[in-house]
Amino acid sequence: AQSVTQLGSHVSVSEGALVLLRCNYSSSVPPYLFWYVQYPNQGLQLLLKYTTGATLVKGINGFEAEFKKSETSFHLTKPSAHMSDAAEYFCAVTTNTDKLIFGTGTRLQVFP
Amino acid sequence: NAGVTQTPKFRILKIGQSMTLQCAQDMNHNYMYWYRQDPGMGLKLIYYSVGAGITDKGEVPNGYNVSRSTTEDFPLRLELAAPSQTSVYFCASSAQGAPYNEQFFGPGTRLTVL
């Protein structure tokens, strides 16, 4: 069975600091991985996805994530946090089913 | 394109009442999904559909029913509302199934059962 673990339900950074949100997955077959962002009182929207090919994936709003098979990780990073990045972030995995398995989410706070 | 739309945005139900949460998409997507989101729990799949006339249970289907008579619409029915169904409900759709199933989400329905 596939699963996703997001380490840290809350992460706080200062504006301009590095953002690092952690995601580890478990899968018996090659995974396809996603990061979604949810702003307050809104639905989820896709930040970026890894399917095949290049392991460093760039997404919207300056975010990127690197697929590391040896570490079963897909951590999300952004070099410099902005106040508008405050939101909840979800990692998700799909494999050979028509369903996405979501992590429990990480709430990012950005302080001025 | 309106994308995925959900109605109502908010609803308060009394225990034992029933209601239908509406979901529609205008992207001609075959795949549609219903999730519930509870604090600290992430998203749990309730039901999904891979096309008109085809539905299947997700992780937490008890207390809910769905139908898919058209490609566009995927309503979620609560027959006997219980406090445990207090949650935020999201509908999503995707053009493809696994593994390329990037999902597009609606804005959600916040349901309280008292």
Side-chain angles (χ1 to χ4, degrees):
Chain A
Q2 296 78 42
S3 67
V4 171
T5 301
Q6 291 184 241
L7 295 174
S9 57
H10 289 84
V11 170
S12 298
V13 300
S14 299
E15 193 172 22
L18 171 73
V19 175
L20 171 61
L21 305 182
R22 300 177 187 274
C23 173
N24 288 87
Y25 67 90
S26 173
S27 176
S28 57
V29 295
Y32 289 72
L33 295 153
F34 303 80
W35 274 101
Y36 282 84
V37 60
Q38 183 182 32
Y39 298 104
N41 300 313
Q42 294 186 27
L44 281 70
Q45 62 184 85
L46 184 69
L47 264 182
L48 51 80
K49 62 183 177 185
Y50 168 79
T51 53
T52 58
T55 56
L56 182 62
V57 181
K58 293 188 186 299
I60 61 172
N61 301 337
F63 284 92
E64 60 183 35
E66 187 170 11
F67 171 63
K68 291 187 176 180
K69 184 179 178 181
S70 61
E71 298 177 8
T72 61
S73 68
F74 191 56
H75 301 332
L76 182 71
T77 60
K78 182 174 180 178
S80 177
H82 192 273
M83 296 294 290
S84 61
D85 294 327
E88 189 151 22
Y89 293 80
F90 292 92
C91 184
V93 65
T94 185
T95 56
N96 57 349
T97 69
D98 292 319
K99 295 171 274 189
L100 284 180
I101 307 297
F102 286 89
T104 52
T106 297
R107 186 168 297 279
L108 175 66
Q109 284 186 300
V110 182
F111 293 101
Chain B
N1 275 356
V4 180
T5 57
Q6 293 184 239
T7 55
K9 284 188 167 54
F10 304 93
R11 184 72 185 269
I12 297 175
L13 282 182
K14 293 182 179 178
I15 294 173
Q17 287 185 319
S18 61
M19 77 164 293
T20 298
L21 281 66
Q22 301 291 345
C23 174
Q25 51 90 10
D26 62 358
M27 297 174 282
N28 202 32
H29 286 173
N30 282 325
Y31 297 80
M32 296 188 74
Y33 307 82
W34 273 107
Y35 295 91
R36 59 176 289 169
Q37 183 181 32
D38 301 300
M41 302 295 288
L43 279 80
K44 302 291 185 185
L45 183 65
I46 304 172
Y47 271 95
Y48 69 106
S49 169
V50 302
I54 307 169
T55 62
D56 206 350
K57 295 178 181 178
E59 189 179 357
V60 290
N62 291 345
Y64 307 95
N65 274 303
V66 293
S67 59
R68 183 95 182 270
S69 56
T70 67
T71 298
E72 295 78 19
D73 300 298
F74 190 40
L76 177 72
R77 179 85 177 159
L78 283 72
E79 290 294 350
L80 291 170
S84 61
Q85 293 177 306
T86 294
S87 188
V88 182
Y89 292 84
F90 289 101
C91 179
S93 71
S94 69
Q96 296 174 288
Y100 302 102
N101 45 338
E102 172 186 342
Q103 295 183 14
F104 296 82
F105 284 79
T109 294
R110 187 175 295 273
L111 176 68
T112 302
V113 182
L114 300 173

